[in-house]
Structures are given as C-alpha cells and as structure tokens.
Amino acid sequence: MMASSKKKDLKSSGPKDSNLDTNDEDKTELCPGFRDVDAFVKHGFGAVLSATKASAGLPQAGDEYDFYRSFPGFQEFCESQGDKLLHCMSQIMQHHGCRSHMRDRNKLTGLEERFDLVVDSNDVILERVGILLDEADGVNRSQQPVMPAGFQPPKIVVSSWNRKGSSPSSRSETFRLLHAKNITRPQLKFKEKVDNSNTPFIPKIFIKPNAVKPLPSYFTNKQMRKERPEDLDVPAALADFIHQQRTQEHVDDMFAHPYQYELDHLTIPENLLSKPEPQMHKPVAETKLSFVDTLEDLVALNEKLCKLSEFAVDLEHHSYRSFLGLTCLMQISTREEDFIIDTLELRSEMYILNEAFTDPSIVKVFHGADSDIEWLQRDFGLYVVNLFDTHQASRALNLARHSLDHLLKHFCNVDSDKRYQLADWRVRPLPDEMVQYARTDTHYLLYIYDCVRVQLLDFNHGQPGLLQSVWNKSSSISLKKYVKPIYTEESYLELQRKQKKSFNTQQLTAFRLLFAWRDKLARQEDESTGYVLPTHMMIKISEELPREPQGIIACCNPVPPLVRQYINELHLLVQQAREMPLLKAEIAAQKKKGLTPIKKPEVPLFGPHDTSRVSESDPPQISADELPVKQGLLFSEDEDVDVQKESGLVASAKITLFEEVEIKDDQESSSAAQMKARRIIESFENPFRMYLPSTDVHVNKNAKFDPSSKIFEISKRWKLQSVEQQQTELEAKKKAKQEAKEMAKKQTEERTKAKQSYKESLKNVATVRQQVAESSNAGGKKRERVDSEVGDLTPKPSKKLMKSAEKPQKTEVTPQDSFKPFDYSQSDLKVFAGNTSKDNTQFDPNRQAHDFKRKKTPKGQKNNTGAGNRSMSYLPGKSDRGFRHNWPKR
C-alpha cells in the first residue's frame, strides 16, 4: 500500500521531478535498480518465468534423472544449487517471521520437516497478502467482528468474590477475606432449632393469608404440639410425623403445596400483558436505604409492601457451615426505596411477609428464583404468588447471556461488582461494600422488569403470547417445593456414578462407610458435607485404604478439622473395609420389570440367555427344575397371571450335544462295577462333557469366602447336596450288599439240599473200589480193604459254587454211554468242569468282577500249573468282591 501511494505520488509529481537532479532521483527509487513498483513487478515476473523454464529443462524424475545423477559433476551442481535455494527460502521465511531452520542432518525426517516448513510459510505469506489486498481495496480487516446486540465478551475472573474493577478509574484496594472461624454460629441464636433429622420436610406455614382454599387443619393445629409432653424431646418434623400417624390424617395434606390451588387458578391482569412505559430507576445515591432487624420495622415494611403493585426481591445464602443452608439476607426494592432485612435475626418472624408475598395483585420480581423459592419455604415458611422471573424473560428473548450481571449492563449500563458473591454473609455488622453489593441486585430490577416486558411484546409483534409464556413459567417456579436430603442405604451409589469411579469390594465398602459417617456427623454438627469431608478427599481415602491414621491425614490437604478430630473412628472404618474379601465390585442394577430376570454376562462372548455362566452378584438363581413352566406366558391372552408361581419361561435346548442327558436312577439294580463301567461309557459318548459345567451355575471360588453374600449360602447348599448324594450312594451300596448276602444264603441252602440228595443216592450203589475188590476176590484172594466212607471222594463245598450260580457258564459234559454207575441227575456237575478255556486278559467293563479272581494255594502245597497235574478237588477261597483292583493275573 505504501508502494502504491508512492507510485501515485510519483505519477502526480512527474513534471516537477524533471527539474530535479540525479541524486533526488536516486532517493525516490523504490529499491536499488527499480524506479517504481511496476518496474519491480515486471522484473520479478521475468525472473519467475525464466526460473520456471529452467526447471522444465531439468532431467525428469526417473531413469533420466538417475542417469545424470551418476555423473559427479551433475551431482555437485545439484547440491550447490540446492543449498543456494534453501538459503534463499530461509531468508524469505525470516523476513516474514516464520521458522526457517530447515537444514536437518537426519536423512529420514529432514525432507518431511522441510515440506512442513514450506507449507506453513506459504500459509502465513498468503494470509498476509490477502490482508494487504483487502486493505488496498478499502476493506478494513483489523476492526472488531460484528457481535449480536447486547453481547459482552466473557470476563476472565480468578475468583468472583475478590474481583477488582477492570476500569482504569477503579482504585486498587486490598479486600479482607472474612473466614468462617471469625464468625459466631447464628444457629445458636435461633428460637426454633434447625431440623437436620433424616425425615421428610413438612411446611412451616400455620397461617395462610390471601387464601382461596383454606389451610388444612393439620397446619392450623401445629402450635398444639407444645402441649404434648411426649413430643418435647423429639425433633419438630418427627413430632409432626408421629402426630400424623396418631391422628391418621391424610399424607397429601402434609406434603402438598399450601398455595397449590391459588397458583393453579391465578389469572394475569390485562394491564400486565400490555406494553408498559419503562419507569427510570432513581440513582443509588438518591435512594433511601433501610436496614430492617427488628420486629417493628418488619411489620412496617409489610404494610408498605401491601400498598404497592410490584417490588423486587433477592436473597443471600450461605451453605458451607450449615447442613441444610442458611438464608442470611433479604433485599427488597421498590420504585422509591431499598430495604435490607437481617433474616438471621428475624428468622422466626419472617412469616409476616406472607401477606404481601402471596397477594395475587402484587407482582414479585425475582431473577433466577429457582433456589430462592425453596429457601423461603425451608427457613421462613414464605410462599410467592404472582411471580415474574427476569431470567425466564431473558431466555425467551434469546439474549447473549442470562445472568443478572449481563442484564444490568445491557439495560442499565451498570458494571456490577461481584466480589462479594461468594462471601460469608453471616458476618455482622455488614461492611459497606457488601451492603452496596446486596443493594445493587434489586435496585435496578424493576426497571429491567419494564424493559423486558416491552421487548417481549415487540419481539412477538405486539402479541402477548410470548409474555404470557414467561408468566406461566414463573408461576411453575412458584409451585416448587423444598425437599430435604434424605439418607438411604443406596445414596452413596448416586454420588459414585457422578464421580465415574470404579471400585473393588474393599474400596466400595470404604466409600459407603465414609459416606454414611460424613452424613451422620454433618447432621449432628450442623455442618455441610463439604466441610466435614470433601468428596474428592473421601474418594482418595477409599482408593488408597491407608493402614495407619497418618495415611488418612496424608490423603487430605488441607486436613478438615472434623477429620483430625475423628481420625480414630475413620481409621476403624477403613480397617473394617480392608477385612472384606477382595472381589470385583458390580453395582446392583436397577429393579428389573418383567418375569424373566436379565443376566449380565461376565464375558462378552456369552449372551444374557446363556445360563452356563452367571454373574456372582445376581442373587436370583433360577433353574429349570425349580420353576413351573407355562409355554407362551409372555404372549398369552390370559389376564390372570400369578407372577409368583410362574416367574420364568423355560425352553428346551435346541443343540442336543450340550444338553445334559437325564439318566434314570437304577443304582438299586446295578453293582459297583456296572456303575463304574457306565460312567466310562458315558465319557466316550459325549467328549464335551469335560468342558460343560457340573451344575447350572458358575460360581467364583473367591466369592465362597464372603459370609454376607448369597454366594456363600449357595456354596454351602451345594456342599449339603454333595453330602446327600454321597449318603444316597452309600445307602445303595449297603442295600446291594444285603441283597447279595440274602442271595448267598439261598444258594447255600440249595447246595445243602443237593448234598443231602446226593448222599441218599449213594447209599445203595457200590463204589468203583468195591467193584474192583469183588473182581479181585473172584480171581484170587488178596488183602481186603475196608470200604471207604461215602464222603471221602465227595468234594468239599466251596464258595465257587455260589459264584458260578450267579452267572452260569456254558460247559458241555460228554456223558459215558458204557458205564453209568451213578445218578447225577440231581447233582451239579459244574464242579468237575475245570478251566476249559484260557481267560482273556483284556479288560471288559461289562463282565462280572468275580470272573477275575485270584486263586490261592493251600498251605504246604506248591502251585503247580502243569498240564495233567490239576486236582479236581479244590478248597473254598475267600471272595474278592468289592476290592478296588480285580484284574486277572497272567
């Protein structure tokens, strides 16, 4: 731009310059060698054009460039020219204020860094060129951007209570922070003690001015509780609750809004929906200020307010050194006068203002009345009818900001001083600065009320619809009811969700115990929970779980006074939490609706309907055997459904491979070997049995050590079931043994009968020896032998006969046709069968255990198994039935 102006000057003063000498001509040159901008631009374009042509003549990238690159001369030329270009580019970047360190020795990252530097430099240069071109065209780019009407840039404030004025005329002052320990607790002076009990809040109102619907009798008889001696030592709210239970009054009357009917039937007059003429506020210096701290002044103020058509109200609150909070100050401003009421001194007499606050013909102007309405109900029993909230009006107008600070600046051009916004308003007497701050909040509010109504009508083209909506929203704010914080066993879970912390069982237990201790102590000492133990310190202690009291103090910085006072009690709570079993904590889900409970799977691969893995924290353990089944219960048209009896839908498995096969209990008719063989066969039938759970529920082993959990009870129940199963198996074995004894007894009796019949058949039959003796006597005389007894050749009975009777063996006996001296029709000849075949050494689970028996050798006789030497007589051996190993011996 400077060059262009110089160019114009040169052109306009061309005839005059002809008379100047050569020295003057050199002074008027733009730069050495160039008279004006046109010459410089012309030379520059020529240089750029020649450089472009020269670059086009360079070898192309690829084989051609690689070929030339192989020559040392070309390589040196390229390196020298490249260094010159980089040096020139660095100078240009330095001229424009860009980073120009481009020579990177690293071959890998150097090229990328150079490209980045070139791109950034081009952006800066082109942006500057664009700005200069716009300025040359007459467009001012340096001016502030266009903002919406009434917009104020946000102010950076470190702390709003000690903010200094930013204007140069503001004097530099040092403000003193009034610490809470310097102030006497105002709760000690209250006539009615603060009720911090864990009971619901009951309205304090007992007189209802401007009532359309009378106050319920419960509130009118509230003063009679002092006559009941049994309730003297009981808190006020609890005494009311006992009285309500005693008289069986309706609960809706106790907790309903006293002015619900009046607010529902409130109608806004036409003059409030029409366009007003804003009445300018009086200067603060010319406005009278009255400080109300006596009952007489309060009554006089109420009489003044009842004669007005509107007034503005604001409250100052303190919540750090009180559990429920304290309303410390009330500011009321009219068109002519400002009032500041000491609500700490007149706490029990503030109900007098209900006559003016509930008058539907008087407009009460608030700004952000959501909290103010609840504080008035909690501390004074005051209610507001016909409220106008300028905050709701600001939102309807879509202003840039909706704070009172912005409205004061936008409508009144007043810079509010918010240094004392978070000050301790319990201090008495109030400093002048704090009085001035409190007065400013309501002094300009009525003028803002007029201006906002005008803009609401203009914004809606004169129609009252938008203004009516603001009145309706303000009326809904008046219907708000104060709710006292109630402690429950699950209150800590809500705070944990807000903090988004994940705890294990020990940390969660510590957090729960600390939360309960903090709530109890805060109610008892009438301190806020943030004063007793701030939340971030409580979370720190729960996460660290210090072993020593010094560790608890180390988690708190600075250490709260009550924590240092009750450090031993906190240490015991942390120790109690450390004794809990360390498990992964799962917050209890909300109560589920429906018949089938929703399972939360432990592993993402398992769905909610997979009953093979169930979370340990789910108390209901549902199996198919415990639940009655009704097919299609969820889709049934029957209206009478018993949820307790039919609590689930059970469907049969579609994949039979993983379905547990029901086996009939036939242990009574099976022996031990057969049961063992059946288990072996089942293991081969389903190879996936080893991967399937033994029961319907998967239980973590660590959970069995927690006596307070359901898992402990379930594990104990499973142990009892396993003991019962062992008892049933033992009873089955005993029964099988008893049956075997009875069978053996019967077989013994049968053998005895067979033996007797055999002896009887041998009485009249000559033995083989007798026949030989007779034949020898007939041939020649020999020594006669005495007849042997009948039982000499009879084998002794053994228990093999009992075993062989259980399982008959197929043995063919070839009878002798030539000689039949005996009658064997009634005797069992299997004793003489012997070992006809060699036993198979391979194990067969279906065979009887007595087939594989170890033969014992009698004392004094060698075990000779040679062929032809086996004796047909045998001795009774001991049964090996029930032994663990009955394998045959080779």
Side-chain angles (χ1 to χ4, degrees):
M1 185 175 181
M2 185 182 298
S4 61
S5 61
K6 288 183 179 180
K7 180 181 177 181
K8 294 179 181 179
D9 294 340
L10 289 174
K11 289 182 179 180
S12 60
S13 61
K16 297 180 182 180
D17 291 339
S18 59
N19 299 326
L20 296 176
D21 54 359
T22 57
N23 294 332
D24 295 337
E25 293 179 358
D26 295 339
K27 293 181 180 179
T28 58
E29 289 183 355
L30 178 64
C31 58
F34 303 99
R35 180 179 180 83
D36 52 8
V37 177
D38 292 338
F40 180 76
V41 171
K42 186 176 181 180
H43 176 76
F45 274 123
V48 171
L49 183 60
S50 60
T52 305
K53 290 181 179 180
S55 64
L58 292 175
Q60 299 296 326
D63 296 338
E64 185 179 0
Y65 177 78
D66 295 339
F67 174 73
Y68 284 100
R69 186 72 175 173
S70 62
F71 296 98
F74 181 80
Q75 188 174 357
E76 293 176 0
F77 175 77
C78 289
E79 291 179 357
S80 62
Q81 294 298 322
D83 292 338
K84 290 181 180 179
L85 290 175
L86 292 178
H87 180 68
C88 182
M89 293 171 63
S90 299
Q91 289 182 346
I92 296 174
M93 292 178 181
Q94 291 178 3
H95 177 72
H96 290 281
C98 303
R99 189 165 61 94
S100 60
H101 300 286
M102 298 183 59
R103 295 184 180 180
D104 193 354
R105 297 180 180 179
N106 193 344
K107 295 181 179 180
L108 296 177
T109 60
L111 186 61
E112 295 181 359
E113 184 183 2
R114 292 173 183 177
F115 274 114
D116 294 339
L117 288 174
V118 171
V119 171
D120 296 340
S121 302
N122 287 335
D123 293 340
V124 173
I125 294 172
L126 293 176
E127 179 68 20
R128 186 168 298 176
V129 169
I131 293 174
L132 294 176
L133 291 176
D134 291 340
E135 291 181 357
D137 292 339
V139 179
N140 188 7
R141 294 285 298 272
S142 61
Q143 64 183 2
Q144 295 294 332
V146 179
M147 295 295 178
F151 177 80
Q152 294 180 3
K155 300 178 182 179
I156 300 175
V157 181
V158 178
S159 183
S160 59
W161 56 267
N162 63 351
R163 182 175 59 184
K164 310 281 194 307
S166 58
S167 60
S169 60
S170 61
R171 53 182 180 177
S172 59
E173 299 178 359
T174 302
F175 297 96
R176 179 170 58 93
L177 174 62
L178 300 175
H179 198 268
K181 67 180 181 181
N182 300 329
I183 302 173
T184 306
R185 293 174 63 85
Q187 296 96 315
L188 302 177
K189 300 180 181 179
F190 292 165
K191 296 181 181 179
E192 185 178 357
K193 293 183 179 181
V194 179
D195 180 24
N196 295 327
S197 61
N198 197 31
T199 55
F201 174 77
I202 299 176
K204 293 184 175 183
I205 186 173
F206 59 94
I207 297 175
K208 186 178 179 181
N210 305 307
V212 178
K213 180 180 179 181
L215 191 67
S217 59
Y218 169 77
F219 296 104
T220 57
N221 297 332
K222 190 174 181 181
Q223 297 292 336
M224 296 174 57
R225 69 166 178 265
K226 296 182 180 180
E227 301 176 3
R228 301 196 297 268
E230 65 271 17
D231 296 340
L232 291 179
D233 297 334
V234 181
L238 187 57
D240 294 337
F241 187 74
I242 294 173
H243 179 65
Q244 184 268 340
Q245 293 292 334
R246 184 181 297 139
T247 56
Q248 296 297 323
E249 294 186 13
H250 205 272
V251 183
D252 295 340
D253 294 338
M254 180 183 293
F255 301 106
H257 195 287
Y259 284 89
Q260 175 82 32
Y261 183 83
E262 286 77 8
L263 289 171
D264 290 341
H265 296 79
L266 177 65
T267 56
I268 306 300
E270 293 295 334
N271 61 339
L272 297 179
L273 295 177
S274 59
K275 189 174 182 179
E277 293 183 3
Q279 184 177 351
M280 192 63 184
H281 57 83
K282 296 176 62 176
V284 177
E286 300 177 4
T287 306
K288 181 183 177 181
L289 175 64
S290 301
F291 192 81
V292 180
D293 58 353
T294 61
L295 180 59
E296 292 78 9
D297 295 340
L298 185 65
V299 173
L301 173 62
N302 182 57
E303 294 177 356
K304 290 182 181 180
L305 296 178
C306 291
K307 299 176 182 179
L308 300 176
S309 59
E310 70 268 339
F311 59 86
V313 186
D314 191 24
L315 302 177
E316 301 298 339
H317 190 261
H318 178 80
S319 60
Y320 185 61
R321 297 302 304 274
S322 175
F323 181 74
L324 299 178
L326 299 172
T327 304
C328 302
L329 214 65
M330 177 185 289
Q331 306 96 272
I332 297 178
S333 294
T334 65
R335 302 280 184 181
E336 304 293 334
E337 193 175 357
D338 296 334
F339 300 92
I340 294 180
I341 307 173
D342 187 1
T343 56
L344 296 178
E345 189 71 24
L346 301 173
R347 180 183 176 92
S348 58
E349 288 82 15
M350 289 294 294
Y351 68 91
I352 298 175
L353 296 178
N354 259 332
E355 184 178 359
F357 274 66
T358 58
D359 191 347
S361 62
I362 304 175
V363 178
K364 277 69 66 176
V365 182
F366 284 75
H367 181 82
D370 300 79
S371 300
D372 296 343
I373 293 297
E374 297 182 359
W375 296 340
L376 290 174
Q377 297 178 19
R378 179 197 63 197
D379 294 337
F380 316 126
L382 289 175
Y383 295 87
V384 180
V385 179
N386 197 2
L387 166 69
F388 186 89
D389 193 348
T390 55
H391 176 78
Q392 299 297 329
S394 175
R395 297 178 66 90
L397 290 172
N398 293 325
L399 296 182
R401 286 188 292 160
H402 311 306
S403 62
L404 181 60
D405 187 12
H406 174 69
L407 294 182
L408 289 174
K409 182 66 176 177
H410 180 64
F411 292 104
C412 306
N413 197 19
V414 174
D415 294 323
S416 62
D417 189 1
K418 294 293 182 181
R419 288 173 293 176
Y420 297 97
Q421 186 174 7
L422 298 180
D424 194 345
W425 288 94
R426 300 176 302 159
V427 62
R428 296 293 184 273
L430 286 172
D432 295 337
E433 295 86 354
M434 297 178 67
V435 172
Q436 190 67 22
Y437 166 81
R439 181 184 186 183
T440 307
D441 286 347
T442 57
H443 179 77
Y444 303 95
L445 202 55
L446 290 178
Y447 174 73
I448 295 175
Y449 160 68
D450 294 338
C451 296
V452 165
R453 285 192 297 158
V454 172
Q455 290 195 3
L456 285 172
L457 291 172
D458 293 340
F459 193 78
N460 203 27
H461 306 287
Q463 300 297 324
L466 189 60
L467 181 58
Q468 181 67 48
S469 66
V470 175
W471 283 108
N472 295 336
K473 291 179 181 179
S474 302
S475 179
S476 63
I477 294 175
S478 300
L479 285 171
K480 294 186 66 175
K481 295 183 294 184
Y482 173 73
V483 179
K484 189 195 298 185
I486 302 297
Y487 171 78
T488 61
E489 295 181 356
E490 297 182 355
S491 299
Y492 70 99
L493 295 176
E494 184 178 358
L495 180 60
Q496 186 202 10
R497 292 190 204 100
K498 291 181 180 178
Q499 299 297 326
K500 298 181 180 179
K501 294 290 183 179
S502 178
F503 293 145
N504 56 30
T505 51
Q506 292 182 355
Q507 294 173 342
L508 189 62
T509 303
F511 187 79
R512 175 176 57 84
L513 295 176
L514 292 175
F515 184 87
W517 172 84
R518 184 179 73 165
D519 185 88
K520 179 181 177 181
L521 190 63
R523 294 177 186 270
Q524 178 181 347
E525 300 292 336
D526 195 15
E527 301 285 357
S528 65
T529 55
Y531 176 80
V532 176
L533 180 61
T535 302
H536 68 280
M537 296 183 185
M538 183 170 59
I539 293 176
K540 182 68 173 177
I541 297 173
S542 302
E543 289 178 344
E544 299 296 334
L545 294 177
R547 296 181 181 272
E548 301 296 334
Q550 292 78 8
I552 298 177
I553 295 178
C555 294
C556 304
N557 186 22
V559 183
L562 293 178
V563 171
R564 193 181 297 275
Q565 182 178 351
Y566 293 91
I567 185 64
N568 294 328
E569 186 174 347
L570 290 175
H571 183 228
L572 293 177
L573 295 178
V574 175
Q575 283 185 341
Q576 181 180 350
R578 293 183 68 90
E579 294 175 358
M580 293 294 294
L582 186 60
L583 301 174
K584 184 178 179 182
E586 295 183 3
I587 301 177
Q590 297 179 353
K591 295 181 179 180
K592 305 177 182 65
K593 297 182 180 180
L595 301 178
T596 55
I598 302 174
K599 302 286 184 180
K600 181 180 180 182
E602 292 179 350
V603 186
L605 297 179
F606 290 87
H609 303 290
D610 186 8
T611 58
S612 61
R613 288 177 180 264
V614 182
S615 176
E616 295 94 337
S617 63
D618 295 336
Q621 304 293 341
I622 301 176
S623 62
D625 299 332
E626 297 177 358
L627 293 180
V629 182
K630 180 176 180 181
Q631 300 295 338
L633 179 62
L634 294 178
F635 309 98
S636 175
E637 297 179 357
D638 298 336
E639 296 180 358
D640 299 333
V641 178
D642 192 356
V643 180
Q644 297 180 354
K645 294 182 179 179
E646 299 172 351
S647 57
L649 293 177
V650 182
S652 59
K654 299 302 180 184
I655 304 177
T656 58
L657 178 62
F658 298 96
E659 184 179 4
E660 296 186 0
V661 182
E662 296 182 359
I663 303 174
K664 296 182 179 180
D665 191 8
D666 54 348
Q667 296 179 356
E668 298 179 358
S669 62
S670 301
S671 61
Q674 290 177 350
M675 292 171 60
K676 186 175 181 180
R678 185 187 295 112
R679 287 195 293 268
I680 295 174
I681 293 173
E682 289 175 356
S683 65
F684 286 102
E685 289 178 354
N686 190 357
F688 298 95
R689 180 172 295 277
M690 61 183 295
Y691 301 103
L692 298 178
S694 58
T695 56
D696 293 338
V697 183
H698 171 75
V699 179
N700 192 353
K701 294 182 180 180
N702 296 329
K704 296 181 181 180
F705 298 99
D706 187 4
S708 63
S709 63
K710 285 285 185 181
I711 313 302
F712 185 82
E713 299 179 2
I714 295 172
S715 61
K716 288 294 184 182
R717 185 174 61 189
W718 288 353
K719 290 180 180 178
L720 295 175
Q721 291 178 356
S722 61
V723 171
E724 292 177 357
Q725 185 177 2
Q726 292 178 1
Q727 290 179 355
T728 53
E729 292 180 357
L730 185 61
E731 290 178 358
K733 290 181 180 179
K734 289 181 180 179
K735 191 173 183 180
K737 288 182 180 180
Q738 186 176 0
E739 292 179 354
K741 288 181 181 180
E742 294 178 357
M743 185 66 70
K745 187 176 181 180
K746 292 181 181 179
Q747 292 177 357
T748 304
E749 293 177 357
E750 292 179 357
R751 286 197 301 271
T752 304
K753 292 180 181 180
K755 183 178 178 181
Q756 292 178 358
S757 61
Y758 178 68
K759 287 182 179 181
E760 291 177 358
S761 64
L762 293 178
K763 288 182 179 180
N764 299 325
V765 179
T767 61
V768 177
R769 294 184 178 181
Q770 290 176 356
Q771 292 178 4
V772 172
E774 291 178 359
S775 61
S776 62
N777 291 334
K781 291 183 179 180
K782 290 187 179 181
R783 185 171 60 89
E784 295 180 359
R785 299 182 66 177
V786 182
D787 296 340
S788 61
E789 295 180 359
V790 180
D792 291 343
L793 293 178
T794 305
K796 295 181 180 180
S798 64
K799 291 185 179 181
K800 278 189 177 182
L801 189 61
M802 177 184 68
K803 297 293 183 179
S804 61
E806 295 178 4
K807 186 176 181 181
Q809 299 179 356
K810 296 181 180 180
T811 306
E812 296 182 359
V813 181
T814 57
Q816 298 181 1
D817 296 337
S818 60
F819 179 72
K820 299 180 180 178
F822 305 109
D823 186 8
Y824 297 102
S825 60
Q826 297 181 357
S827 62
D828 190 4
L829 300 180
K830 294 180 180 179
V831 180
F832 304 97
N835 294 332
T836 57
S837 61
K838 188 175 181 181
D839 294 334
N840 189 9
T841 59
Q842 186 175 0
F843 172 68
D844 187 2
N846 294 322
R847 293 185 60 185
Q848 294 283 348
H850 64 268
D851 292 343
F852 307 102
K853 193 188 305 180
R854 208 179 276 176
K855 294 186 178 181
K856 295 185 178 181
T857 306
K859 294 181 180 180
Q861 184 179 356
K862 294 182 179 180
N863 187 12
N864 189 8
T865 58
N869 295 330
R870 288 179 182 173
S871 174
M872 297 182 65
S873 62
Y874 64 96
L875 295 176
K878 188 175 181 181
S879 174
D880 292 336
R881 182 186 181 91
F883 275 48
R884 189 171 183 181
H885 301 289
N886 296 327
W887 313 113
K889 213 171 189 181
R890 291 188 179 181

